[in-house]
Amino acid sequence: MSKLQKYLDFLIEKYEVETKGILSDDGKKVSVDGKEYPLLPWRNERRFIELKKICETTVGEISHFKIMSVNSKSISLSDVIKKEIDLVEYIGASKITKVFEAKNGETCSIICETEKGWVATLELACSLPSKTKTVDKHEIITDRGTACDRGVDSQTPLYSTYVYGGEEKTFTDVDFELYGLTAEEISVVRQAFEITKNGKIGEENIQSDARLEKLLNCIEKSEKTCEDVRV
Amino acid sequence: MERIKIAMMSMTHGHTRKYYDVLKNNPKLEWIAVSTENEEVKKIFKNSVEGIPCYDSDEEMLDKHPEIEAVVIASANSRHYEQMKLLAERKIDILSMKIPTFDMEEYEKIEKLVKDNGIICQIELECHYNPVTVRFKELVKSGKMGKIYSFNARNTTLSPVWAFPWQGVPELSYGKRVKIKEGFGKFRGGALCDHPHIFDMIREVTESEFDYVFARVAPNIRHDIEEEDMLSVVGKMKNGVVFSLDPSWSNMEERLKVPGPGWEKYPKRMEVYMTANCEKGSVVTDLFGPNVYHNGAPNDRYTVQYTYFDEWVGLVDEFVENVRLRRTPKINLEWHKKTVEVMNAIYESISTGRPVKL
């Protein structure tokens, strides 16, 4: 049994959920009562939950959603694009209507327009040595202030724990019940648990996943044709 | 395991609302009732939680619900003794807010009540159930960093006195009116009484007790409150570890009656940082970071929006186990007594201007 499955089983037992969720080996799907659901785990990451709330209640009309994400070479660029364009639509609550991509190897720059008229820019790369932590930033500029997952005067992530001396290390621990997992692993377990409890979320994921595949195709087409592609 | 029938009392403490979700969602608990101390907190509670019976007195609630097995005491420090006595005499287990009492004679009476009646009394020090604390303890206590030389920490917040008025009244917070020092014009009962966590955590992390403390009160940044809001503490543990600890209310606030968006003037409401400087290096932690940030409604000020605030999940899980297995809580009265004693010693050091040996 995988490490993540053990944590999922722990939550299912603790909260007395009657159905059983089974995670796929790659952690990209969960199976509940024989039905398989794709996971969009970033939607369960706390910083994105809070950014979504801020966009709904605290800042104003979005003008520009800026995303930077630099990842390890062991991560696929298309997985990064999929995650980030979903965050654009999910946090900003508006569908992408047009995409333009410029790509070079495992790096790309994308400009999107949404149905509400605001713009998203994505600067993405999978260029770091294997196992390097992702460096990313999500900044939403509105007509009533800016929301961001990085503090003012910083371009890179902060961590909750820094170990100095000898081999320097950093940790960000965000979940007491799931202590020991990374934030990304926690979001996989949390979303699999949500779907196990509530199939409606799984159904929404099926629809969203299909839409993301369509968006990925449009982005690929844009790169090939050097055109602004309507979705 | 049968569900524990739990209630809450008073609802005047700043942590009251932290229990709402966990009492509703923990499948091992059945939330029976609450008693509210005044109309104001009753209204706030009823606007926040539906379907839980609400009584105007503790006795009425307990009489109407003899099935109650455990109670979260969410009141002013000055009310803890009488409420603990009431519960102990009815053999009801207790989860108490941070300070049972600052009066050490009263503290001993509480210990006796708990022991004589065979009840569980757990003290709410929620920082133990923060995952960053777990990481910090794991790194430092494992010996990987070598011997620890110094421990520095701050637990600074905005002042809660506008939303939770008892915290601004020396008699209700500290238990009596005592001048903080001659010629200073403020009384005991402020920031120090609000922030025991770092004085508790250093004992566990260093596996030692306080040798001596020296403290100074700094000029208040809120001139119109009666208690201290800025202070600083240094000293040494019995194993030689030196420390610097800051429990101030140094993060300025809007004077809201009900906490909500816009409470903070300084961008972050609450900060807990702990650093251990050890033989092989240092561990630097932020228990409530990183977060997300905005400068939107209601005041268009740069603001930290927290991404983590779940300590009560682990804390209540432990309480449930303690009650069902009749297990002594990690933060029990005996352990916590030394933390309260050092807090009193800090007040003594401020008052005398001298280090206080423990």
Side-chain angles (χ1 to χ4, degrees):
Chain A
M1 185 189 289
S2 75
K3 179 173 75 170
L4 300 191
Q5 185 66 49
K6 280 183 192 165
Y7 281 93
L8 176 59
D9 289 348
F10 159 75
L11 290 178
I12 289 169
E13 191 186 335
K14 178 179 175 185
Y15 290 98
E16 299 174 358
V17 177
E18 288 175 2
T19 45
K20 168 95 174 149
I22 310 283
L23 273 166
S24 63
D25 290 342
D26 62 4
K28 289 185 175 178
K29 288 178 181 164
V30 64
S31 173
V32 183
D33 287 339
K35 184 162 185 182
E36 210 167 55
Y37 299 99
L39 294 174
L40 307 172
W42 44 86
R43 292 185 180 189
N44 277 65
E45 205 173 318
R46 290 288 285 265
R47 60 180 167 141
F48 298 131
I49 292 170
E50 294 304 324
L51 281 178
K52 183 169 172 59
K53 272 192 223 164
I54 290 170
C55 285
E56 286 165 357
T57 62
T58 308
V59 288
E61 296 294 322
I62 298 174
S63 166
H64 196 175
F65 192 155
K66 293 171 72 69
I67 294 176
M68 176 272 282
S69 179
V70 185
N71 299 268
S72 139
K73 283 177 179 166
S74 55
I75 296 172
S76 118
L77 182 63
S78 73
D79 280 355
V80 176
I81 297 172
K82 181 176 174 179
K83 170 185 171 179
E84 301 299 345
I85 55 173
D86 185 50
L87 286 171
V88 168
E89 291 196 336
Y90 185 67
I91 294 173
S94 185
K95 299 275 186 215
I96 292 169
T97 52
K98 285 182 187 169
V99 291
F100 185 92
E101 183 193 37
K103 190 178 174 193
N104 184 17
E106 290 302 292
T107 68
C108 70
S109 301
I110 300 171
I111 288 185
C112 310
E113 188 177 285
T114 69
E115 61 191 4
K116 288 184 184 166
W118 50 264
V119 170
T121 307
L122 299 90
E123 301 160 359
L124 311 176
C126 294
S127 52
L128 302 176
S130 185
K131 292 186 181 172
T132 310
K133 288 178 182 172
T134 297
V135 177
D136 64 2
K137 182 172 182 175
H138 300 79
E139 182 181 15
I140 303 130
I141 300 159
T142 80
D143 63 1
R144 190 180 181 175
T146 296
C148 190
D149 56 358
R150 304 296 168 217
V152 65
D153 250 1
S154 65
Q155 298 192 64
T156 55
L158 295 170
Y159 299 95
S160 54
T161 300
Y162 297 84
V163 182
Y164 297 108
E167 190 192 347
E168 295 188 359
K169 288 182 183 167
T170 53
F171 303 91
T172 293
D173 294 294
V174 298
D175 193 318
F176 186 79
E177 286 177 312
L178 304 180
Y179 177 76
L181 300 182
T182 63
E184 291 77 17
E185 289 172 328
I186 286 164
S187 59
V188 169
V189 175
R190 286 283 171 200
Q191 189 169 85
F193 180 56
E194 291 301 315
I195 292 172
T196 305
K197 280 194 302 184
N198 179 3
K200 198 177 153 205
I201 296 167
E203 296 301 330
E204 284 168 10
N205 273 18
I206 290 173
Q207 287 181 19
S208 297
D209 196 59
R211 173 166 173 77
L212 290 170
E213 288 304 320
K214 184 180 172 190
L215 284 168
L216 284 172
N217 288 335
C218 292
I219 288 167
E220 199 180 328
K221 185 178 168 193
S222 165
E223 213 285 322
K224 279 184 185 156
T225 59
C226 199
E227 282 177 7
D228 194 17
V229 172
R230 185 171 289 278
V231 177
Chain B
M1 195 187 276
E2 201 181 323
R3 287 172 184 240
I4 293 168
K5 295 176 175 59
I6 197 161
M8 289 185 77
M9 274 182 174
S10 285
M11 317 301 273
T12 55
H13 197 282
H15 287 178
T16 300
R17 64 206 167 109
K18 306 288 184 193
Y19 285 89
Y20 295 168
D21 281 344
V22 77
L23 294 198
K24 280 190 290 187
N25 297 335
N26 190 314
K28 295 183 174 65
L29 294 176
E30 185 182 346
W31 192 358
I32 301 294
V34 301
S35 59
T36 48
E37 205 163 295
N38 55 54
E39 284 303 314
E40 211 167 336
V41 293
K42 186 178 186 176
K43 193 175 156 197
I44 293 168
F45 176 73
K46 289 195 160 180
N47 284 338
S48 309
V49 181
E50 286 179 357
I52 304 294
C54 183
Y55 296 90
D56 292 330
S57 90
D58 300 337
E59 289 82 356
E60 187 191 2
M61 176 180 77
L62 297 176
D63 289 344
K64 290 252 174 75
H65 295 280
E67 73 274 26
I68 290 171
E69 299 171 80
V71 165
V72 179
I73 296 179
S75 58
N77 293 340
S78 61
R79 292 215 56 210
H80 289 169
Y81 173 64
E82 56 167 304
Q83 289 179 320
M84 285 179 167
K85 187 166 184 288
L86 177 70
L87 294 170
E89 286 168 354
R90 295 182 186 223
K91 315 278 187 209
I92 293 171
D93 296 317
I94 296 168
L95 178 54
S96 167
M97 296 292 160
K98 301 177 271 193
I99 304 293
T101 173
F102 282 103
D103 178 335
M104 298 320 288
E105 280 181 25
E106 201 172 69
Y107 199 104
E108 281 170 19
K109 284 188 201 167
I110 293 172
E111 282 183 298
K112 188 169 185 316
L113 276 169
V114 167
K115 192 177 171 193
D116 290 351
N117 289 285
I119 61 166
I120 303 293
C121 180
Q122 180 173 327
I123 310 299
E124 182 219 58
L125 287 183
E126 72 280 4
C127 283
H128 285 278
Y129 312 91
N130 177 304
V132 183
T133 305
V134 178
R135 177 73 63 187
F136 184 70
K137 288 194 228 173
E138 196 175 283
L139 287 163
V140 179
K141 291 180 75 178
S142 65
K144 283 178 195 162
M145 303 301 297
K147 191 178 168 189
I148 175 168
Y149 293 127
S150 67
F151 178 101
N152 303 321
R154 62 186 282 179
N155 173 192
T156 57
T157 64
L158 42 65
S159 173
V161 302
W162 321 108
F164 308 102
W166 67 267
Q167 290 195 261
V169 181
E171 290 85 350
L172 305 185
S173 177
Y174 185 66
K176 55 190 171 185
R177 183 167 287 260
V178 182
K179 276 186 185 170
I180 196 144
K181 72 173 187 179
E182 214 46 57
F184 195 75
K186 301 292 175 194
F187 298 89
R188 295 182 184 184
L192 177 59
C193 292
D194 196 25
H195 295 152
H197 304 285
I198 49 183
F199 306 101
D200 160 82
M201 202 60 77
I202 187 175
R203 295 174 54 217
E204 189 187 342
V205 172
T206 63
E207 296 175 342
S208 186
E209 296 297 343
F210 287 93
D211 183 14
Y212 67 85
V213 289
F214 178 76
R216 276 195 200 284
V217 68
N220 265 43
I221 57 173
R222 296 166 193 82
H223 301 292
D224 53 343
I225 65 172
E226 286 200 286
E227 300 158 335
E228 87 283 358
D229 64 7
M230 297 293 295
L231 70 155
S232 191
V233 184
V234 297
K236 198 177 264 193
M237 303 301 281
K238 290 195 192 302
N239 65 358
V241 173
V242 296
F243 57 80
S244 167
L245 304 170
D246 182 350
S248 300
W249 284 335
S250 50
N251 304 15
M252 195 57 88
E253 68 286 336
E254 289 289 347
R255 298 180 170 192
L256 302 187
K257 292 207 90 179
V258 180
W263 197 12
E264 56 285 283
K265 272 188 182 171
Y266 181 76
K268 198 169 180 179
R269 292 179 184 185
M270 180 195 59
E271 296 170 287
V272 182
Y273 305 119
M274 295 194 292
T275 297
N277 296 311
C278 310
E279 206 173 3
K280 295 180 185 171
S282 296
V283 182
V284 180
T285 57
D286 176 357
L287 271 61
F288 296 97
N291 294 292
V292 296
Y293 315 86
H294 70 82
N295 64 323
N299 298 324
D300 303 336
R301 283 195 192 115
Y302 193 66
T303 302
V304 171
Q305 180 140 327
Y306 290 93
T307 54
Y308 183 80
F309 243 129
D310 294 344
E311 286 85 354
W312 281 265
V313 173
L315 183 143
V316 169
D317 281 347
E318 197 208 316
F319 183 62
V320 167
E321 296 271 304
N322 293 336
V323 168
R324 277 292 172 251
L325 304 175
R326 309 314 292 166
R327 203 171 60 181
T328 304
K330 176 183 167 70
I331 310 300
N332 57 67
L333 285 167
E334 189 186 351
W335 162 267
H336 193 50
K337 196 174 185 176
K338 287 195 165 121
T339 301
V340 179
E341 281 171 350
V342 78
M343 294 170 82
N344 275 320
I346 289 163
Y347 276 133
E348 191 187 332
S349 175
I350 291 170
S351 163
T352 61
R354 295 199 182 103
V356 174
K357 186 100 176 156
L358 285 126

